[in-house]
Amino acid sequence: MPTLILLLEGQSISFELTTDETVVGRHPECGFQINSNMVSRKHAKVTKVGERYSIEDMGSGNGTFVNSEKLEVPTLLEHQDRIKLGPIILRFEDPIGVTSRLSGSTPKTSQSLQATATVQVDVIEGDEDSATIMGTADHSTAFGKLEVNSEAKLKGVLEISRALAGTSDLDAILPKILDTLFKIFPHADRGCVLLMESSTGKMIPKAMKHRRQNDDETVKLSRTILHTVLEKKVGVLSADAANDSRFQASESIANLTIRSMMCVPLLSLGGEPMGIINIDTQNAFNQFRPDDLDLLTAIAGQAAMSYEQAKLVITAMEKQKQDKEMDIAMGVQRSLLPITIPQPDGWEIYASYDSAQAVGGDYYDAFEMENGKKICLAFGDVAGKGVPASLVMSRISTVVTNVMTFVNDIGEAINRINNQMCLRGIEGRFVTFILIVFDVKSGVMTIGNAGHMPIMIRKNDGTIEEFGDEAVGVPIGVLEGFPYDVLKRTIAPGESCVIYTDGVSEAMNYKSELYGVERLRQLMKASVGGDADSLGKTILADVRKFAGGRPQNDDITIMVFGRK
């Protein structure tokens, strides 16, 4: 079926010519509508003439071109003809019913690389790919053989270095490379740069340059040459196949209209190909020579280095921007923690927070209730760490503050907090959480535990009690409406309570040994008589000492409170 193929922004859109007359343009009534302001409302008309198709311009503003020739009268279309409607490129395909433009030749087959509307590259392969490789240049040093034609190479390298100096815009570097190459090789007619897409390995056209404005926008590359350049990491010189007696019978090679071309790899700092530079000339009397290929190889080495350096500069700039944003995020998160911790008469409260990254998922809060008669302590550990955990931490901080402003009952409060977090929860982002309210005067502590480790209480006789283990519920944000148990216990004078996250118990040294709960238990026993502040700092220092300088792999948060 005869088809018009629209090449636009890396995509090809096919439109089959099923009627005898098809109007192409911007207007919705057109048979083939192209939504572009550069295309007239009714731009061109494709008409069936016998077994063939012709195209004519309909008085468009930007004109209609077939193979770079502006249409003045209706013109018959041939298979693989390129049609331009302003800047929009189409290709006409009729491989079955239409004879080729060159009598007796078979229809041309080509694989079109991903391209933009202004950068079109076809890779010729199969029977059509009869490229003549006349010579190669070793690219093992990234600059070729420097001792050969060293003066010209040095001049070329300096020129490309000056042209690219201070440029960190990746989109601007590649056209500058081609501009410089056209100065160094004044007989070059066309040039293009293709880069390899890291995720797929595909070669993507990124820049193109023509010396003459009316040249065909499409550059044709041989698949054989492309594979040779990329796999062997060598530059390739290809002479005019049409003048080679071995290929006189191959009219398809003559269709490439390349008199002489050079293709060299762009190698990364690690020596791996990241793209190619291809330039060609149609001047039959001024073909490229092996010295030109060696010179291009040297220039490509400097161009690749400049491109890699620009990528590193951009990466560094992006990293600085991310670091600045993370500093702001860290400041915002720190502002969610209490600025001052209440210290009611007869009590001591200590808290410390150290995130493994700039922001983390641990959380604590301490504030007065009923005009200072009671103190509320909230303590949580979000699953995971980093930015995702910090966002959940900020949410539970807000939810706890809002709920505790209006609710005094621990059981009701922890249920409301859980339901609020479940309402807009993120799968896999639960929070182990402890909510405590103690009476300053009587020392009665009410506690609800949602999946967290039980609090450790150091008694006056030096023994350690793990309180609340029998009433630990599911973490916050897992199951809406879960009935949490509430426990009560009176804190006697001299007793201290320790709450910690798993960043303490799971701290690891360079021997991959864990700090463990038992070590924490023994440390608390040995600290009988100390106040909450000194106990908290002792625990934190001991964890650091145990790690021995190994970076922490989780947030470390400790809260200690007790009666004097």
Side-chain angles (χ1 to χ4, degrees):
M1 176 67 68
T3 305
L4 289 176
I5 298 178
L6 173 64
L7 307 174
L8 183 64
E9 296 180 351
Q11 298 180 347
S12 59
I13 302 173
S14 298
F15 178 83
E16 293 184 350
L17 299 172
T18 57
T19 61
D20 291 343
E21 185 178 288
T22 301
V23 177
V24 183
R26 192 176 73 248
H27 198 279
E29 294 180 359
C30 292
F32 187 12
Q33 184 187 9
I34 300 176
N35 189 16
S36 170
N37 292 331
M38 302 301 291
V39 176
S40 298
R41 292 166 62 83
K42 294 185 177 181
H43 198 111
K45 180 170 63 176
V46 179
T47 306
K48 187 174 183 181
V49 182
E51 296 299 322
R52 302 180 64 179
Y53 286 80
S54 70
I55 185 170
E56 63 179 300
D57 186 82
M58 300 181 69
S60 64
N62 292 322
T64 301
F65 298 79
V66 175
N67 299 329
S68 301
E69 294 183 6
K70 188 174 183 180
L71 293 186
E72 302 295 342
V73 295
T75 301
L76 288 174
L77 289 170
E78 304 284 359
H79 178 56
Q80 291 285 331
D81 274 350
R82 288 192 172 269
I83 304 168
K84 276 188 62 178
L85 310 180
I88 303 301
I89 304 294
L90 298 98
R91 186 170 66 239
F92 175 76
E93 290 191 353
D94 187 14
I96 299 177
V98 181
T99 59
S100 177
R101 181 176 300 278
L102 294 175
S103 176
S105 67
T106 56
K108 178 169 62 178
T109 59
S110 66
Q111 178 181 351
S112 179
L113 290 177
Q114 181 178 342
T116 66
T118 57
V119 181
Q120 297 294 331
V121 176
D122 280 353
V123 175
I124 308 302
E125 57 185 347
D127 294 338
E128 291 294 314
D129 187 8
S130 302
T132 313
I133 298 178
M134 305 302 294
T136 61
D138 186 11
H139 211 294
S140 59
T141 64
F143 292 96
K145 298 177 181 178
L146 292 176
E147 70 276 9
V148 179
N149 201 10
S150 56
E151 183 179 350
K153 286 185 178 179
L154 179 59
K155 182 179 178 181
V157 169
L158 290 176
E159 193 161 346
I160 199 77
S161 298
R162 283 195 297 267
L164 303 180
T167 304
S168 59
D169 183 356
L170 295 181
D171 293 332
I173 283 182
L174 301 180
K176 281 188 176 183
I177 291 174
L178 293 178
D179 289 342
T180 307
L181 289 177
F182 271 48
K183 294 178 183 178
I184 297 174
F185 300 100
H187 51 295
D189 289 317
R190 298 181 302 186
C192 66
V193 179
L194 279 65
L195 294 182
M196 184 180 294
E197 193 175 60
S198 58
S199 59
T200 64
K202 293 181 179 180
M203 297 299 295
I204 310 297
K206 291 295 185 179
M208 182 176 294
K209 183 176 177 64
H210 297 273
R211 192 173 295 279
R212 292 184 290 273
Q213 292 295 326
N214 60 348
D215 271 359
D216 181 13
E217 286 80 359
T218 303
V219 170
K220 301 174 177 65
L221 296 178
S222 159
R223 175 69 69 182
T224 300
I225 290 176
L226 199 58
H227 280 179
T228 300
V229 171
L230 294 175
E231 292 179 5
K232 297 184 178 180
K233 304 177 187 178
V234 296
V236 168
L237 172 64
S238 179
D240 185 0
N243 292 334
D244 192 321
S245 60
R246 291 172 296 173
F247 300 103
Q248 286 179 355
S250 180
E251 291 178 324
S252 59
I253 292 297
N255 288 339
L256 296 179
T257 64
I258 295 177
R259 302 304 180 197
S260 180
M261 59 83 67
M262 297 186 293
C263 186
V264 297
L266 291 168
L267 298 183
S268 67
L269 296 177
E272 295 301 317
M274 62 181 186
I276 62 103
I277 296 177
N278 182 90
I279 62 174
D280 65 61
T281 177
Q282 298 182 47
N283 187 336
F285 302 100
N286 204 355
Q287 296 186 357
F288 293 124
R289 300 171 299 174
D291 286 350
D292 294 323
L293 178 61
D294 210 35
L295 175 58
L296 179 60
T297 300
I299 294 171
Q302 180 60 41
M305 184 178 297
S306 298
Y307 188 79
E308 285 277 85
Q309 288 174 344
K311 287 173 63 178
L312 292 175
V313 169
I314 291 174
T315 301
M317 292 171 62
E318 291 176 348
K319 180 63 166 57
Q320 288 180 350
K321 181 181 178 182
Q322 291 175 357
D323 289 344
K324 186 176 292 186
E325 291 175 349
M326 290 304 295
D327 287 342
I328 296 173
M330 181 172 61
V332 171
Q333 186 179 38
R334 295 289 179 176
S335 68
L336 298 175
L337 301 176
I339 299 175
T340 58
I341 295 178
Q343 300 292 339
D345 291 340
W347 291 81
E348 291 179 325
I349 304 174
Y350 165 86
S352 70
Y353 171 76
D354 289 292
S355 60
Q357 301 176 16
V359 291
D362 284 2
Y363 157 74
Y364 72 86
D365 202 354
F367 50 88
E368 295 181 346
M369 298 176 62
E370 298 181 12
N371 297 322
K373 295 180 181 179
K374 294 182 178 180
I375 301 295
C376 179
L377 304 176
F379 193 90
D381 183 1
V382 180
K385 49 184 175 289
V387 174
S390 71
L391 295 175
V392 178
M393 176 269 192
S394 65
R395 184 155 185 261
I396 193 170
S397 171
T398 303
V399 170
V400 169
T401 301
N402 291 338
V403 169
M404 297 309 297
T405 301
F406 303 100
V407 180
N408 292 327
D409 181 75
I410 286 288
E412 182 183 353
I414 196 168
N415 274 283
R416 288 196 181 187
I417 293 169
N418 176 56
N419 291 341
Q420 284 291 320
M421 294 298 292
C422 287
L423 186 63
R424 296 181 181 178
I426 303 174
E427 185 176 355
R429 293 293 174 180
F430 57 85
V431 186
T432 62
F433 180 73
I434 290 180
L435 186 63
I436 296 173
V437 172
F438 64 81
D439 188 287
V440 172
K441 187 174 182 179
S442 66
V444 175
M445 173 181 67
T446 307
I447 178 173
N449 190 327
H452 201 79
M453 290 82 73
I455 67 172
M456 300 181 71
I457 302 177
R458 184 193 63 195
K459 299 181 178 180
N460 289 317
D461 59 3
T463 59
I464 304 298
E465 176 187 356
E466 296 187 19
F467 178 71
D469 191 21
E470 70 279 8
V472 175
V474 300
I476 296 292
V478 173
L479 184 61
E480 186 176 358
F482 183 85
Y484 291 96
D485 293 329
V486 176
L487 300 178
K488 290 188 177 183
R489 184 190 188 282
T490 300
I491 304 299
E495 291 185 334
S496 295
C497 305
V498 175
I499 316 174
Y500 59 95
T501 60
D502 53 13
V504 173
S505 57
E506 296 178 4
M508 190 177 294
N509 60 19
Y510 280 103
K511 296 180 181 179
S512 297
E513 298 170 336
L514 295 179
Y515 184 83
V517 177
E518 183 58 33
R519 185 182 178 103
L520 175 61
R521 190 179 291 113
Q522 295 302 322
L523 181 67
M524 291 179 63
K525 285 183 179 180
S527 301
V528 174
D531 55 25
D533 185 77
S534 63
L535 177 57
K537 291 179 179 178
T538 298
I539 294 172
L540 184 59
D542 193 58
V543 171
R544 299 292 187 201
K545 179 181 178 182
F546 174 82
R550 177 169 179 166
Q552 65 186 78
N553 57 5
D554 202 355
D555 306 327
I556 296 176
T557 306
I558 302 169
M559 178 176 278
V560 183
F561 65 97
R563 297 181 75 176
K564 295 180 181 179

